[in-house]
């Protein structure tokens, strides 16, 4: 009797397990899914505007033979608006012909309209709250129409994923001017009142590359958005940020023209920095000492000069560009190099007093009291440097 009861219980448990694990009821076939790879956010005329870039699965998957195709892969862009981002998203669902999968998004682009408005907090709230959003998504700002940004394709008819928008690291390794930003870092810095939030600005270059003598739009980073103290974001073009990258610890390589009084002596590739920023406190007077060291490579040597003279010209140029960028930031109310954060880490009580809890800029043109630049040229290419 006990054996029979035990068999009945085991049979019921087995039946329940079969029912509970009998397949994925909510699953979709691959060909019945729209894969969202990027979306854009804008705010104008009191409405949120969402743009979604979706790709066909065939243009995303890589074949064993080649990632190139004889035809350009199709790029679809959907657009909807609403009084809130959630309502705009639901409006988009009304015309979506297939199920949209959001777990594969690799890029988010925010227009200048939403970055410079007071509604940026709502955007960050949704990015962190939406259950399918990932914290490893590349994030950009832009001043160009979002539909053009999300409709651009890559070179050689390759997948749109092989571009700066979806994969910015290869380009950054070649020229480390504006570091790419992941969404988790953006949210973390934005939630920290002592940290200057930085966002690279993506744009389209329509002149440098052609395909069969026809212009082809390709991505580039043209500048950056920086969070103003206690306000929204402020845009600074590349021309006003000549020295921004010199104080980035993760900078890999960047070009430097060795020029003095109209004479171009050569060109250096500068990288591998060691940077120390120290706040110096005298009562309520705070200044900063910066010590930066770089290793460089000489790839162009046009006018012979002594090693010491070339080092001096290069160090003076770096110092000039760093201070020039710093002053441009001050004019826009931006702490470009995050100096105030250094004070916060050392003396948070004094930081709160001088900045009114992060709502006021404490920096002046004289805040950088000492800027030391040390540069060495251990590599001169396949040729020796001539004197």
């Amino acid at each position: 009797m006990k054996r029979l009861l035990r068999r009945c219980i085991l049979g019921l448990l087995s039946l329940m397990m079969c029912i509970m694990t009998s397949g994925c009821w909510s699953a979709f076939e691959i060909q019945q899914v729209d894969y969202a790879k990027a979306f854009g956010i804008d705010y104008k005329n009191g409405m949120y505007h969402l743009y979604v870039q979706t790709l066909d699965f065939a243009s995303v998957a890589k074949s064993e033979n080649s990632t190139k195709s004889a035809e350009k892969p199709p790029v679809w862009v959907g657009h909807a608006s609403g009084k809130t981002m959630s309502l705009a998203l639901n409006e988009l669902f009304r015309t979506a012909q297939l199920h949209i999968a959001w777990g594969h998004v690799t890029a988010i682009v925010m227009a200048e309209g939403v970055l410079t408005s007071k509604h940026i907090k709502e955007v960050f709230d949704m990015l962190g709250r939406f259950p399918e959003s990932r914290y490893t998504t590349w994030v950009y700002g832009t001043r160009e129409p979002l539909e053009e940004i999300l409709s651009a394709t890559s070179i050689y008819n390759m997948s749109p994923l092989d571009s700066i928008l979806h994969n910015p690291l290869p380009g950054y390794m070649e020229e480390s001017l504006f570091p790419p930003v992941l969404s988790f870092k953006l949210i973390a810095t934005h939630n920290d009142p002592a940290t200057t939030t930085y966002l690279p600005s993506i744009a389209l270059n329509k002149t440098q590359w052609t395909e069969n003598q026809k212009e082809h739009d390709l991505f580039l980073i043209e500048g950056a958005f920086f969070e103003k103290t206690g306000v929204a974001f402020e845009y600074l073009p590349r021309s006003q940020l000549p020295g921004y990258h010199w104080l980035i610890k993760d900078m890999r390589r960047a070009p430097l023209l060795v020029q003095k009084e109209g004479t171009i002596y050569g060109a250096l590739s500068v990288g591998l920095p060691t940077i120390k920023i120290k706040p110096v406190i005298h009562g309520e007077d705070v200044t900063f000492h910066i010590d930066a060291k770089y290793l460089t490579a000489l790839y162009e040597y046009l006018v012979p000069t002594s090693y010491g003279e070339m080092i001096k010209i290069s160090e003076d140029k770096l110092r000039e560009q760093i201070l020039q960028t710093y002053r441009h930031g001050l004019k826009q109310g931006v702490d470009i190099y995050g100096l105030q954060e250094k004070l916060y880490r050392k003396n948070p009580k004094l930081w709160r007093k001088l900045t009114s809890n992060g709502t006021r800029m404490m920096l002046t043109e004289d805040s950088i009291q000492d800027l030391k630049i040390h540069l060495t040229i251990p590599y001169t290419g396949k040729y020796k440097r001539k004197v």
Side-chain angles (χ1 to χ4, degrees):
M1 186 66 181
K2 289 183 179 180
R3 184 176 297 177
L4 179 61
L5 181 60
R6 183 181 299 174
R7 288 180 178 178
C8 291
I9 293 174
L10 291 176
L12 288 173
L13 289 175
S14 300
L15 181 62
M16 291 177 62
M17 292 294 293
C18 291
I19 294 175
M20 294 174 63
T21 60
S22 59
C24 302
W25 295 311
S26 59
F28 292 88
E29 296 293 335
I30 290 178
Q31 65 272 16
Q32 296 176 338
V33 177
D34 252 353
Y35 292 91
K37 295 302 298 180
F39 69 87
I41 309 168
D42 197 0
Y43 184 85
K44 52 188 176 182
N45 301 323
M47 301 285 282
Y48 287 95
H49 293 260
L50 292 186
Y51 296 81
V52 179
Q53 178 195 74
T54 62
L55 302 177
D56 179 62
F57 185 80
S59 66
V60 177
K62 296 183 178 180
S63 64
E64 295 181 359
N65 298 326
S66 175
T67 60
K68 303 175 184 178
S69 171
E71 298 180 357
K72 291 184 179 181
V75 179
W76 285 74
V77 177
H79 168 239
S81 59
K83 292 186 176 180
T84 69
M85 292 182 61
S86 179
L87 291 177
L89 190 61
N90 280 277
E91 184 68 21
L92 188 68
F93 290 152
R94 294 181 61 192
T95 54
Q97 308 300 304
L98 301 173
H99 170 72
I100 300 179
W102 299 95
H104 298 267
V105 172
T106 56
I108 300 172
V109 186
M110 289 182 277
E112 187 177 25
V114 73
L115 289 172
T116 56
S117 70
K118 297 181 180 179
H119 299 274
I120 187 65
K121 291 184 179 180
E122 286 85 344
V123 175
F124 283 105
D125 180 77
M126 182 176 179
L127 293 181
R129 192 184 299 270
F130 191 63
E132 292 188 68
S133 64
R134 295 185 178 184
Y135 292 106
T136 54
T137 303
W138 300 111
V139 191
Y140 306 88
T142 189
R143 306 182 78 197
E144 298 195 5
L146 286 172
E147 189 170 3
E148 293 185 12
I149 293 291
L150 297 182
S151 299
T153 57
S154 187
I155 59 175
Y156 306 127
N157 294 337
M158 297 174 69
S159 167
L161 302 185
D162 298 311
S163 64
I164 290 177
L165 177 65
H166 295 280
N167 186 17
L169 290 179
Y172 181 70
M173 301 296 274
E174 295 295 329
E175 189 179 49
S176 309
L177 299 184
F178 299 101
V181 175
L182 291 169
S183 57
F184 77 87
K185 185 174 182 180
L186 180 72
I187 295 173
T189 56
H190 185 262
N191 291 334
D192 187 353
T195 306
T196 300
T197 306
Y198 152 84
L199 193 62
S201 177
I202 195 167
L204 292 173
N205 182 282
K206 304 180 181 181
T207 59
Q208 288 189 347
W209 292 84
T210 60
E211 178 186 5
N212 298 327
Q213 297 186 346
K214 295 182 180 179
E215 293 181 353
H216 189 96
D217 300 350
L218 290 176
F219 293 110
L220 82 159
I221 304 299
E222 61 163 1
F225 290 90
F226 295 89
E227 187 179 18
K228 295 177 66 175
T229 305
V231 200
F233 283 76
E234 187 74 22
Y235 171 76
L236 278 82
R238 178 177 175 176
S239 60
Q240 294 184 10
L241 300 169
Y244 173 68
H245 49 283
W246 298 131
L247 294 186
I248 297 176
K249 292 183 178 180
D250 297 329
M251 185 195 72
R252 183 178 176 87
R253 56 184 292 181
L256 177 68
L257 187 66
V258 184
Q259 183 178 12
K260 182 180 180 181
E261 297 177 354
T263 301
I264 299 177
Y265 294 92
L268 299 177
S269 178
V270 183
L272 303 177
T274 302
I275 300 168
K276 297 179 181 180
I277 301 177
K278 178 182 177 182
V280 180
I281 303 172
H282 298 285
E284 293 187 0
D285 183 24
V286 181
T287 57
F288 295 88
H289 290 186
I290 301 176
D291 191 345
K293 299 179 181 179
Y294 306 89
L295 293 177
T296 67
L298 178 65
Y299 285 130
E300 272 189 304
Y301 190 48
L302 306 177
V303 178
T305 184
S306 67
Y307 180 82
E309 181 66 14
M310 179 169 284
I311 290 292
K312 184 179 184 307
I313 294 173
S314 303
E315 291 177 347
D316 290 343
K317 193 68 175 179
L318 257 72
R319 188 180 295 104
E320 176 189 343
Q321 291 183 356
I322 290 172
L323 292 176
Q324 183 182 356
T325 302
Y326 173 73
R327 295 188 187 103
H328 280 306
L330 284 184
K331 291 179 181 179
Q332 304 294 336
V334 174
D335 178 13
I336 289 284
Y337 299 119
L339 301 181
Q340 296 181 133
E341 181 190 2
K342 304 299 181 182
L343 174 62
Y344 175 78
R345 304 303 174 193
K346 183 175 182 179
N347 192 331
K349 184 177 180 180
L350 181 59
W351 173 86
R352 294 188 185 96
K353 183 177 181 180
L354 296 179
T355 65
S356 298
N357 287 324
T359 60
R360 183 169 59 86
M361 173 76 77
M362 56 163 280
L363 301 177
T364 66
E365 287 196 7
D366 300 322
S367 292
I368 299 180
Q369 188 181 62
D370 188 25
L371 176 56
K372 295 179 180 178
I373 304 295
H374 307 276
L375 190 145
T376 56
I377 311 176
Y379 181 70
T380 59
K382 293 187 291 184
Y383 298 142
K384 293 182 178 181
R385 185 181 60 83
K386 300 177 182 178
V387 179

